[in-house]
Amino acid sequence: MSASGLHVQCRDEPGVLHRLTGEIAEQQANVVTVETGAVHQGVANLYFELDGPDIHAVAQRLRELPYVVACSEPRPMESIFGSRLIVIGGGAQVAAVASGAVQEADRHNIRGERISVDTIPLVGEAEIAEAVRAVPRLPRARALVLAGSLMGGEIAEAVREVREQGIPVISLNQVGSVTQAVDLVVTDPLQAGVMAVMAIARTARFDLARVRGQSF
Amino acid sequence: MSASGLHVQCRDEPGVLHRLTGEIAEQQANVVTVETGAVHQGVANLYFELDGPDIHAVAQRLRELPYVVACSEPRPMESIFGSRLIVIGGGAQVAAVASGAVQEADRHNIRGERISVDTIPLVGEAEIAEAVRAVPRLPRARALVLAGSLMGGEIAEAVREVREQGIPVISLNQVGSVTQAVDLVVTDPLQAGVMAVMAIARTARFDLARVRGQSF
């Protein structure tokens, strides 16, 4: 069951999200996903994915509202940017992991999948732990790779928390306690990126559950 | 002026977004940003950024609601994953652009900035045009790089549309009309990634407006 996309461009003013969600509920539709995008020249981009009997009717109703500038029905974000692999780390490793993951995602996407590789280069225990804890708040985030040489303490604790939320975590083989907290440890950064993409791909025969706790 | 983050974990049930935004409005706060994250074991992650006189009071009020499981006040996403450079393209080039951008973002982030590099490997005129048009709907997307060898037609049209929404676009030097539609053309993929990060970085002395229409 896949929700329908709805892109609303509306005046950027207080309360508009509450009013729009009220109109959507009145049309018997349910908001599955929402993301706020760019605001340009007083016009905000709001993107919804909705479940409901008649999304065209919702779009038609929203177009009648005085604060709505435009309303279109793009395909869902899952069909465009797809599942997201999040890469967090610093220095030489983070670019190598991203490169491996992008090359592997390219090979899957060319066969019809949609996998994005989203990378934040970061150093510092507190900074990385904060970013790890923010991953479950990101739309469509499906797995996390930690690309560094020394991670432990608060980062290991954050890894345990996000795994409890259903996000698998892969780490490079590195100094520190984080390697004890993750699903999988991989030494080569290119391969860490490749394996992480395999773990979230539908077209790969790779089941993270079957190698959990192992090191490569 | 920066909005305050609010992370709400709540029961994943119809109408919850409308009810939450109603409670937020009653506390005189305004939703600036919203993103829906992972849903795990019936609990949804909703992330807001709010403007208002007392966000602690909003959090306290939301914690009293029967459908709210937890509510915390993380720093805004702009302070964690920051500005997003979006990279779209296929083959060898897309990984090279991503690698250049990640390495440059690492150099800025180590000095206190936050820049993410988010890559979707894609081929096909319709597929790439669709992804280009979706960029303004992504949270915190600040610039776009097109990493390919042949792009034109509908992609060039999509590029003009997103530039009108305030998103600058950089293209690799390539076959097709897209190079006529972008802000900047760069031949070397590593440098294209580097320049794109420089264009959105606060710590770089690089003004895209001063080189618009040029080719490097």
Side-chain angles (χ1 to χ4, degrees), chain B residues 13 33 42 152 173:
Chain B
E13 57 188 36
T33 297
N173 194 4

Coordinates of all heavy atoms in Angstrom, one line a residue, chain B residues 13 33 42 152 173:
Chain B
E13 N -1.6 7.3 14.4 CA -3.0 7.1 14.1 C -3.5 8.3 13.3 O -2.9 9.4 13.3 CB -3.8 6.9 15.4 CG -3.6 8.0 16.4 CD -4.2 7.7 17.8 OE1 -4.2 6.5 18.2 OE2 -4.8 8.6 18.4
T33 N 8.8 24.4 10.3 CA 9.3 23.2 9.6 C 8.7 21.9 10.2 O 8.4 21.9 11.4 CB 10.8 23.0 9.8 OG1 11.5 24.1 9.3 CG2 11.4 21.8 9.2
G42 N 4.3 1.0 15.9 CA 3.2 1.8 16.1 C 3.4 3.2 16.6 O 2.5 3.9 16.9
G152 N 19.5 16.9 -21.3 CA 18.9 18.0 -22.0 C 17.4 17.9 -21.9 O 16.8 17.2 -21.0
N173 N 30.3 19.7 -17.3 CA 30.4 20.0 -18.7 C 30.0 18.8 -19.4 O 30.6 17.7 -19.3 CB 31.8 20.5 -19.0 CG 31.9 21.1 -20.4 OD1 30.9 21.3 -21.1 ND2 33.1 21.4 -20.8

